[in-house]
Amino acid sequence: MNDTRLLLALDFGGTKHTAALARQGERAWLGRRQQAAPPRADAAADVTIMRLLARELLAAHPGRLAAIGVSFGGPVDFARGLVRLSHHVPGWENWPLRDQLHAEFGVPVSVDNDANLGALGEWRFGAGQVETRHPAPPRSGDHSVASLLYITVSTGVGGGWVLDGRIYHGAEGMAGEIGHTIVDPNGPVCICGRRGCVEIMACGPAIARRARERLGAEPSAGAHLRELIQNDFSALTAEHVSRAAMEGDALAEEVLLAAARDLGTGIGNALSLMNPQRVVLGGGVTKSGEAWWAEVRRAARANTLPEISVDIVPAALGDDAPLWGALALAESLL
Ligand SMILES: [Zn+2]
């Protein structure tokens, strides 16, 4: 006799899979299950884990499942509900995830990539709220900004657009790839094969690489950073660089701010092109301290038109942004 309508949100991440259940119209999870992605998995193994997590949740929380939203950490053909491939796990090529879940659970299903759903999640429940300038608990999307660019800066740089309340996919589903816009045509070669993309200049591994290059070229500089890594260049990460910068290491600070400047330049270009109301930045690199944030904002302002406002704020939902986006996606199917 329980006819509560339930929405299921699924997130296939690179290192973990998460399923969560909410009542329609509510802003809190009824239940949430997570499992580490097994080493040497394939697509079928990942799907099996997710189906079990979903079944556990549905068994524990009576009600009627009404829709499923799915976030996938890799390229997705949104219109056809296909995963195009995974950069981490074999076997996902053209996997019909939407139709498979629809056949199993008998409700509408939609699948999108994690950057787009991170954007939708932040727009609907997080830093896309008009009055929210700082991290806040998830709440209703009724007061969301009209347009939002979401950028995640971690091991790569991903992005997604929400325009007038909807994800903007672009003609081929490639909209939002700010990580592969070019800010230095003479820069290093990016994973995409071109030079000087935002990603190869500003992501976490890029910050580590830039620091390593500087330490190699300037044997007397960066004493504190060298101390932090005990002179083991292979152990150097972006976290070491931001910590050394915060603790006053001049070389580390220069490296960190150069990366921030390149990201800010890319954001400035995006602002001139699309004039979004707000830019939301998430991912581990955004924890690099106030100097990093100030330089991102300064460079964005310096590289866009003076008439354009630069409203760049931290993400509010952390790693859960795509999961919240999957909930918003499920909601949009009703
Ligand atoms: Zn690139």
Side-chain angles (χ1 to χ4, degrees):
M1 60 164 281
N2 192 328
D3 58 0
T4 305
R5 299 223 287 177
L6 302 177
L7 301 173
L8 185 59
L10 307 179
D11 178 16
F12 289 87
T15 57
K16 57 188 186 298
H17 302 315
T18 312
L21 197 63
R23 289 193 190 94
Q24 184 190 357
E26 293 194 359
R27 307 292 157 221
W29 300 121
L30 275 176
R32 188 177 185 284
R33 295 272 197 287
Q34 191 166 75
Q35 190 169 323
R40 292 184 300 280
D42 59 14
D46 281 345
V47 172
T48 299
I49 288 171
M50 195 60 99
R51 289 167 55 222
L52 291 174
L53 295 178
R55 289 282 171 207
E56 277 173 34
L57 279 174
L58 292 167
H61 301 280
R64 187 165 63 80
L65 181 63
I68 303 174
V70 186
S71 170
F72 187 83
V76 167
D77 183 334
F78 174 76
R80 296 163 67 207
L82 300 178
V83 172
R84 285 192 170 137
L85 62 101
S86 163
H87 295 295
H88 310 282
V89 178
W92 276 108
E93 293 74 14
N94 296 314
W95 189 281
L97 190 56
R98 181 189 65 193
D99 292 351
Q100 179 184 23
L101 293 172
H102 173 70
E104 171 158 358
F105 292 94
V107 297
V109 181
S110 188
V111 183
D112 210 331
N113 74 57
D114 55 348
N116 284 344
L117 289 179
L120 189 68
E122 289 288 349
W123 175 81
R124 184 89 174 83
F125 300 112
Q129 299 289 292
V130 170
E131 73 280 29
T132 300
R133 298 302 184 100
H134 298 289
R139 46 188 166 155
S140 161
D142 301 339
H143 304 289
S144 299
V145 295
S147 52
L148 176 148
L149 171 61
Y150 170 77
I151 306 173
T152 168
V153 191
S154 57
T155 54
V157 176
W161 287 102
V162 176
L163 303 177
D164 298 326
R166 299 180 53 156
I167 294 170
Y168 176 69
H169 291 93
E172 289 160 300
M174 295 300 289
E177 289 286 357
I178 189 166
H180 299 287
T181 60
I182 292 167
V183 289
D184 181 0
N186 301 311
V189 177
C190 181
I191 192 172
C192 72
R194 293 165 313 127
R195 284 186 180 275
C197 295
V198 168
E199 178 165 301
I200 194 69
M201 306 304 285
C203 71
I207 292 169
R209 185 201 71 243
R210 293 174 85 153
R212 223 177 277 124
E213 287 167 3
R214 289 280 307 269
L215 290 174
E218 301 163 49
S220 58
H224 184 51
L225 179 56
R226 288 176 202 275
E227 195 182 298
L228 283 182
I229 60 170
Q230 297 176 313
N231 258 322
D232 178 2
F233 284 22
S234 67
L236 201 161
T237 64
E239 287 82 4
H240 292 123
V241 179
S242 60
R243 187 175 148 202
M246 284 186 245
E247 292 170 359
D249 186 292
L251 180 146
E253 186 174 23
E254 285 168 27
V255 166
L256 193 67
L257 296 189
R261 187 150 55 245
D262 289 332
L263 174 64
T265 300
I267 293 173
N269 290 335
L271 293 175
S272 296
L273 191 64
M274 297 294 287
N275 189 20
Q277 193 173 344
R278 184 168 296 167
V279 178
V280 175
L281 302 184
V285 172
T286 65
K287 295 176 177 63
S288 297
E290 274 312 307
W292 181 90
W293 278 93
E295 186 62 10
V296 170
R297 293 187 175 109
R298 190 204 62 74
R301 189 176 304 285
N303 287 287
T304 197
L305 295 166
E307 294 83 357
I308 290 175
S309 33
V310 177
D311 183 10
I312 304 176
V313 305
L317 304 177
D319 291 346
D320 272 353
L323 194 67
W324 286 104
L327 176 63
L329 185 63
E331 196 174 55
S332 74
L333 296 171
L334 300 180

